[in-house]
Amino acid sequence: MTVMNVRRRLIPAVAAAAVTALGLTTLSACSGESAAAAGTGKFDVVASFYPMAFLADRIGGPHVHVTSLTQPGQEPHDLEISAKQTALLQDSDAVLYLKNLQPSVDDAVAQSEIKTKIDAAALTSLEKHGNEVGGHAASHDGSENDELAGLDPHIWLDPVRYAQVAEGVGAAFEKADPKNAADYKKNTAALVKELDDLNTRFKDGLAHTRSKVFITTHAAFGYLAERYGLTEEAINGLDPESEPSAARVKALESMAKADGVTTVFYETLVSDKTAKTIASDAGLRTDVLDPIEGITAKSRGKDYFSVQEANLKALRQALGAK
C-alpha cells in the first residue's frame, strides 16, 4: 500500500529559486550554515525534513553531521531538491526520510547509491485517516468522512510512533557506523525515554477534559487524537490549503455546538484565513496547533519537545482540561 502523496500549493518560482540558492541546512554544531553533506570526518546524514533531522541529530550526537534538505519555514510537501542537493545526497553516508511524503526526495534516494537508506515509514505503522479521526463524542446530522485519501504520514506527532522510529534509526546508525554503536545505543535509549515521558504527560494531561473534540485546519493530528482518546475534525482533510465545501463548514459548526468545541486550530506555515472565518461565524476562538514540520521564529518552542509541550498546553485549554 502506498502513502498518499500529500501535495500543497507549490511555492512561487521566485521563492523556490531562493530556497534552492540557500542550499542545505545543517543541524549539527554548524547549524544555520550552508555546508556540504559529506567530507566532514563524521558520519554524514542527510535528513529529508525537520522531524527526521531532529532524530538524526539527537541519536548521532557529536559523531554525525546532519543536513536537512528542507529549509526552516518551507513546506516539506512542496520540496523540489536541486541538482546540488542531489549531488550532496550521493556523497553522504546515510539518508533518513519519510517515503512518499516528498516525491522529489524519493526519486533522488532511489537513484542514489547511498548504502544506508532509512525510511521512517517502514519503522512504525501507518493508518488511513480522513476528515474525522478518533471516536466521536456526539452524532451530527450532515457530518461526512469523504476524504479517506490514503495513509496519514504524520507519525512524528504521536510520541509512541516517533519513539518506534527513533529505535529503528538508532539500530541503523549502529549498523552503518559500528565504531560509535555504543553511543548511538545510549543516545537512542535516552531519546526514547524522553518520548515515553512526553507520552505520559499527554496521556495524563488530556485524560480529563470537558470535551474530546477539536477542530484543525488539516488532518495532521490523527495519530495524536487516537493515542489520547480524542477526535480530530479537520476542515480540509490532509490538504490544509484546499477549500472546504459549504456542507463541511455547516457540519463543523453543528458539531462545534453539540460537542462544546471552543477553538479552531491552525498552523503557522499556512494561511489562517479559513480557520478565522469559520471561528468567527461559529463564535469560536483560534489558536495554533503546530504539526512541527519545521522550526521557525513563529514556532512556540525551539525544538520538537518544546513545541509539543506548547501543543499540549493549547489542547488542554481548548478542551477544558480539569
Side-chain angles (χ1 to χ4, degrees):
M1 191 174 289
T2 303
V3 179
M4 187 186 90
N5 172 17
V6 183
R7 297 293 294 167
R8 304 184 184 180
R9 292 176 185 169
L10 294 177
I11 52 179
V14 173
V19 168
T20 299
L22 287 172
L24 296 166
T25 300
T26 59
L27 282 175
S28 57
C30 50
S31 179
E33 300 175 3
S34 178
T40 63
K42 296 184 178 183
F43 184 60
D44 291 301
V45 180
V46 169
S48 56
F49 72 128
Y50 177 76
M52 303 297 102
F54 180 76
L55 289 182
D57 194 52
R58 289 292 304 270
I59 292 169
H63 304 301
V64 301
H65 178 273
V66 182
T67 309
S68 179
L69 292 172
T70 307
Q71 297 293 319
Q74 181 185 10
E75 272 295 342
H77 310 79
D78 294 333
L79 178 69
E80 296 293 340
I81 67 175
S82 66
K84 179 181 178 181
Q85 289 175 317
T86 301
L88 291 171
L89 179 66
Q90 302 279 10
D91 293 332
S92 300
D93 297 311
V95 59
L96 173 56
Y97 69 116
L98 185 55
K99 192 173 183 180
N100 292 321
L101 179 67
Q102 298 170 290
S104 67
V105 174
D106 294 350
D107 292 343
V109 171
Q111 296 169 18
S112 75
E113 297 181 358
I114 299 174
K115 184 177 180 181
T116 301
K117 301 178 181 181
I118 310 169
D119 173 17
L123 300 176
T124 187
S125 60
L126 281 76
E127 298 177 2
K128 201 172 187 179
H129 290 159
N131 275 349
E132 178 188 318
V133 182
H136 211 94
S139 176
H140 312 298
D141 292 335
S143 66
E144 299 177 356
N145 189 13
D146 56 2
E147 292 191 23
L148 291 175
L151 295 175
D152 185 351
H154 300 88
I155 52 178
W156 63 92
L157 292 169
D158 173 3
V160 176
R161 279 182 169 82
Y162 201 40
Q164 292 170 349
V165 174
E167 290 176 334
V169 172
F173 280 17
E174 291 175 40
K175 182 177 179 180
D177 186 25
K179 68 179 181 295
N180 295 310
D183 285 345
Y184 295 146
K185 185 181 291 292
K186 178 181 177 182
N187 293 343
T188 300
L191 178 57
V192 169
K193 176 62 166 58
E194 284 188 72
L195 289 167
D196 287 346
D197 291 343
L198 179 65
N199 173 50
T200 298
R201 290 195 293 278
F202 264 90
K203 184 178 179 180
D204 293 345
L206 298 173
H208 304 289
T209 57
R210 183 181 64 255
S211 174
K212 295 294 182 183
V213 182
F214 64 97
I215 300 175
T216 62
T217 49
H218 88 291
F221 297 87
Y223 294 115
L224 186 149
E226 288 185 331
R227 179 68 59 190
Y228 305 113
L230 307 177
T231 295
E232 174 194 56
E233 287 280 2
I235 297 170
N236 300 322
L238 289 173
D239 182 354
E241 294 199 16
S242 65
E243 293 296 328
S245 66
R248 179 60 181 162
V249 172
K250 183 177 180 181
L252 285 170
E253 292 177 353
S254 174
M255 176 273 299
K257 293 179 180 179
D259 287 329
V261 173
T262 64
T263 307
V264 178
F265 287 112
Y266 65 94
E267 58 186 80
T268 57
L269 295 184
V270 296
S271 172
D272 61 358
K273 182 179 178 181
T274 300
K276 289 188 174 180
T277 297
I278 292 176
S280 177
D281 291 345
L284 307 176
R285 61 187 292 269
T286 59
D287 200 359
V288 171
L289 203 59
D290 196 330
I292 325 180
E293 294 178 344
I295 299 295
T296 71
K298 294 182 179 180
S299 299
R300 294 181 176 179
K302 296 182 178 180
D303 66 4
Y304 173 85
F305 283 105
S306 57
V307 176
Q308 278 285 54
E309 292 290 353
N311 283 341
L312 174 57
K313 181 179 179 180
L315 281 170
R316 281 177 52 80
Q317 181 176 355
L319 298 175
K322 300 173 182 178

